[in-house]
Amino acid sequence: MISVTILTKNSRKYLEKVLDSVRQFDEVLLFDNGSTDDTMEIAKRYPNVRIVKGLFEGFGPTHNKASGLAKHDWILSIDSDEVVTQEMSKMILEAKLDPQCVYSFPRHNYFNGKFIRWCGWYPDRVIRLYNRKSTQFTDAQVHESVSTKGLKHVEWKVPINHYSYANIADFLPKMQSYSSLFADQYCGKKSSSPCKAILHGFFAFFKSYILKRGFLGGYEGYVISAYNGHTAFYKYLKLYEANQHLKKLNK
């Protein structure tokens, strides 16, 4: 048996599509971090959904908290804007799973209604199916991942659809959130400066737009590359600010 875990906070936008896609699973544990929209009302319509409310402690630790509360040892961890395809669901439910393996899927990312094949957004393989007795997520505040140490990584071809950015407005709160989490995670551990922020921002744009062929994606490729550059810039600028504040406290 498999438990699906989902972290939510004001996730109404795609939640109905997400929960529809995992109706076949015995349990969907929805770990909510304080939604004020109708996320809870949507979730309560689904008989296989169990709602747990708790504090957000960074992505890695919160994912682990959610998996620890699940009914089954096999965990399918998805985001609140990820839709499990029928092919993916069928393969998971029919497979003979090995606790010494972790299973990954290519993620099809969408922006502005378009499937994005550039900027490093494809195939964007992510490990989402694992046995919690064998492994767990890292403790990273952001860009968390399932640890594969000592385990076999099985790459499945069936995709999961990801609808993280419908328009430009969707980029801004994520930029704010991810850059702050990055600064919190590396404060006092990694050096930064305004110059480093500029260099990281420029290189992130160059990497996305040129090296990862964002220029082939037209308008969407340019916007995503610009977003990657701005996010990198603010990550390191916030880290610089956090390190300066830490130095003042330690004087």
Side-chain angles (χ1 to χ4, degrees):
M1 302 293 279
I2 299 168
S3 290
V4 179
T5 60
I6 308 173
L7 306 186
T8 58
K9 184 176 181 180
N10 296 333
S11 304
R12 66 172 302 278
K13 192 169 188 177
Y14 297 107
L15 191 60
E16 194 168 353
K17 289 177 70 173
V18 172
L19 296 180
D20 280 342
S21 76
V22 289
R23 280 182 181 271
Q24 297 180 67
F25 291 88
D26 175 62
E27 178 191 49
V28 177
L29 188 140
L30 192 151
F31 191 93
D32 189 75
N33 311 144
S35 291
T36 55
D37 62 2
D38 56 350
T39 293
M40 294 295 97
E41 285 67 31
I42 294 171
K44 288 174 183 177
R45 300 175 196 160
Y46 294 81
N48 65 332
V49 172
R50 179 160 64 95
I51 300 170
V52 177
K53 296 183 180 182
L55 295 175
F56 180 76
E57 300 173 0
F59 283 103
T62 309
H63 275 299
N64 289 332
K65 184 180 286 187
S67 69
L69 294 169
K71 185 163 60 174
H72 305 301
D73 289 331
W74 278 103
I75 305 295
L76 175 62
S77 176
I78 63 173
D79 292 346
S80 60
D81 53 11
E82 292 178 339
V83 175
V84 175
T85 59
Q86 288 185 354
E87 297 86 354
M88 178 179 170
S89 177
K90 186 175 186 292
M91 178 169 275
I92 292 172
L93 292 170
E94 293 180 356
K96 186 176 180 180
L97 301 175
D98 183 347
Q100 295 306 306
C101 294
V102 294
Y103 301 85
S104 68
F105 309 87
R107 192 159 59 167
H108 288 187
N109 293 291
Y110 289 81
F111 166 54
N112 204 26
K114 296 181 180 180
F115 172 31
I116 305 299
R117 295 171 174 82
W118 312 277
C119 306
W121 276 25
Y122 178 78
D124 191 24
R125 182 167 289 279
V126 287
I127 295 171
R128 289 302 172 80
L129 180 61
Y130 65 96
N131 191 298
R132 67 182 177 187
K133 287 187 175 180
S134 303
T135 189
Q136 62 178 3
F137 276 87
T138 63
D139 287 331
Q141 294 287 299
V142 66
H143 301 311
E144 73 289 356
S145 61
V146 175
S147 175
T148 61
K149 187 175 181 180
L151 301 173
K152 182 180 179 182
H153 177 190
V154 179
E155 297 185 355
W156 282 350
K157 293 181 180 179
V158 292
I160 184 170
N161 291 332
H162 187 210
Y163 301 94
S164 56
Y165 308 102
N167 49 48
I168 292 175
D170 285 345
F171 282 111
L172 302 180
K174 291 200 175 185
M175 184 191 301
Q176 172 76 331
S177 174
Y178 289 173
S179 57
S180 293
L181 287 169
F182 176 86
D184 290 342
Q185 181 172 327
Y186 291 107
C187 180
K189 302 173 186 176
K190 185 191 287 273
S191 66
S192 188
S193 67
C195 184
K196 279 189 176 182
I198 293 170
L199 290 174
H200 277 280
F202 174 78
F203 182 71
F205 174 81
F206 178 80
K207 181 180 178 181
S208 179
Y209 196 65
I210 303 298
L211 300 183
K212 296 192 174 182
R213 301 184 298 170
F215 62 89
L216 294 176
Y219 170 76
E220 287 78 17
Y222 174 76
V223 170
I224 292 166
S225 299
Y227 163 74
N228 290 338
H230 278 94
T231 301
F233 172 74
Y234 285 113
K235 277 165 53 176
Y236 281 87
L237 204 59
K238 285 186 179 182
L239 177 59
Y240 170 73
E241 188 178 69
N243 284 342
Q244 293 301 108
H245 181 65
L246 184 63
K247 285 181 182 178
K248 289 180 181 178
L249 292 178
N250 291 334
K251 281 185 178 179

